[in-house]
Amino acid sequence: MTRPTLFHDPTSEPSRAVHWFAVEAGVALDIRPVWLSRGEHLAPAFLEVNPCHQVPALAHGAIRITEASAILIYLADLASASDRWVGATPAARARTHQLLSWHHTQTRLHLTIGYFLPVLLRPVYRGVAAPSADAIEALRARGAEPIAQLDAFLGDAAYLGGADPSLADLFLAPDLYALDLDPRKDEWLAPAPRVAAWLARLRERPGYVASHAAWNAVVPRLRAIAIEPLAPRDPSWVPEVCAPHVPASTP
Ligand SMILES: N[C@@H](CCC(=O)N[C@@H](CS)C(=O)NCC(=O)O)C(=O)O
C-alpha cells in the first residue's frame, strides 16, 4: 500500500494535530501543503480530495478521509497503535472518543471559531473589523468555560487519559496553542493551572516542535502586524514563512 498523503496547512489547528501524531507514533506520511491564505483549499484539485474545502484531509490509495479525529483514528489503526493512542480498554477508548467529540462543541467552537478567528486572526489577516470591546469580553467569558472544564478533566493526571498522552491530548492542544497569538493569553490560563501545566508538558514532546515550528514562526509576525495600524492586512506572506518548517514527509 502507498504511503498516505496528508493535505495540510500548518496554520490549521487540526492539521497540526495530525502532523503531531504522525511524528509521535512514527507514521510515515507524505505532506502536501494546501495554503489557506492563498485560497488553495478552493482549487478544483483539492476539492476532489475534500469537497468541503477543509484541511486536514488524507488520501491513502483510493481512500479519502476528512475530519482530523477520523484521520487520527485511521492512522492509529494503520500503525497498529490504537491501544497505545486511543486506549487499551473499553473505558479508556470511550474516554478518548468522549474528548474528541467534546472538543468540537467546546474548545473548537468557543475558543477557535468563536474567539480566535474573529478577534485575533481575521482582523490581522484580512483587516476585518474585530468585535466591540463588550462583545470580546462576552466571547472570552464563553471561551473560559471549556478551559475550566478541561482543567477539571485533567485532575491530577499528566494527560487527559492518565500518565501518557492519547490522541485526545494531541487533538485538543493545538487549538489552545492558537491562543499564543493573544496578547492576553496569560489571562486564559491563570484560572486553569492544570491546563497551563499540561500545555507546557506537551510542548516538551518531540512531535510538538516538528508540528508547531511553522505556526511558531508566524505568531510573532502576526502580533507585530496587529499593533501596526499601517501594516497591510494581507496574509500572502504566510506560506513563505511556514514552508521551511513543513517537511515533505514524516519519517
Ligand atoms: N472539523 C474539522 C475542521 C477543519 C477546519 O476547520 N479546517 C479549516 C482550517 S483550521 C479549514 O480548512 N478552513 C477552510 C474552509 O472551511 O473553507 C476537523 O476537525 O478536521
Side-chain angles (χ1 to χ4, degrees):
M1 190 95 165
T2 54
R3 288 156 65 96
T5 298
L6 175 65
F7 295 84
H8 172 84
D9 183 319
T11 66
S12 146
E13 302 79 22
S15 292
R16 295 199 294 272
V18 175
H19 183 190
W20 191 352
F21 172 68
V23 174
E24 296 274 344
V27 179
L29 292 177
D30 291 328
I31 298 181
R32 189 165 315 162
V34 177
W35 299 113
L36 297 166
S37 49
R38 287 188 185 148
E40 291 179 6
H41 56 304
L42 301 173
F46 182 64
L47 293 175
E48 279 179 23
V49 179
N50 183 4
C52 300
H53 48 82
Q54 290 197 322
V55 287
L58 195 85
H60 191 200
I63 299 165
R64 302 286 178 269
I65 306 175
T66 63
E67 294 297 325
S69 51
I71 295 170
L72 288 166
I73 288 165
Y74 178 76
L75 293 178
D77 281 344
L78 205 64
S80 303
S82 295
D83 279 9
R84 162 67 188 83
W85 287 97
V86 184
T89 63
R93 285 192 287 279
R95 167 78 169 175
T96 302
H97 285 288
Q98 171 201 322
L99 290 161
L100 297 179
S101 297
W102 175 86
H103 175 63
H104 290 293
T105 56
Q106 297 302 324
T107 22
R108 181 92 187 139
L109 180 60
H110 295 299
L111 287 173
T112 306
I113 295 170
Y115 180 84
F116 169 79
L117 290 176
V119 176
L120 300 174
L121 196 71
R122 284 191 192 123
V124 179
Y125 254 35
R126 307 275 180 202
V128 177
S132 68
D134 284 352
I136 288 175
E137 290 316 307
L139 294 171
R140 289 184 70 87
R142 185 61 188 87
E145 287 182 39
I147 293 185
Q149 290 171 13
L150 205 47
D151 209 62
F153 290 162
L154 278 160
D156 294 328
Y159 298 101
L160 290 164
D164 296 308
S166 70
L167 285 188
D169 299 274
L170 306 191
F171 187 44
L172 270 68
D175 284 78
L176 287 132
Y177 295 135
L179 296 175
D180 288 348
L181 188 53
D182 195 345
R184 297 173 64 188
K185 174 190 152 194
D186 291 347
E187 292 177 39
W188 289 110
L189 298 181
R194 290 178 285 206
V195 174
W198 170 73
L199 290 172
R201 201 171 292 125
L202 283 165
R203 278 191 211 266
E204 298 299 315
R205 298 197 62 87
Y208 167 80
V209 176
S211 58
H212 281 71
W215 175 241
N216 289 337
V218 166
V219 166
R221 291 173 186 244
L222 292 176
R223 276 189 172 225
I225 294 170
I227 56 171
E228 174 44 74
L230 297 180
R233 266 49 178 174
D234 166 6
S236 55
W237 53 271
V238 170
E240 199 178 325
V241 170
C242 288
H245 304 287
V246 180
S249 61
T250 58

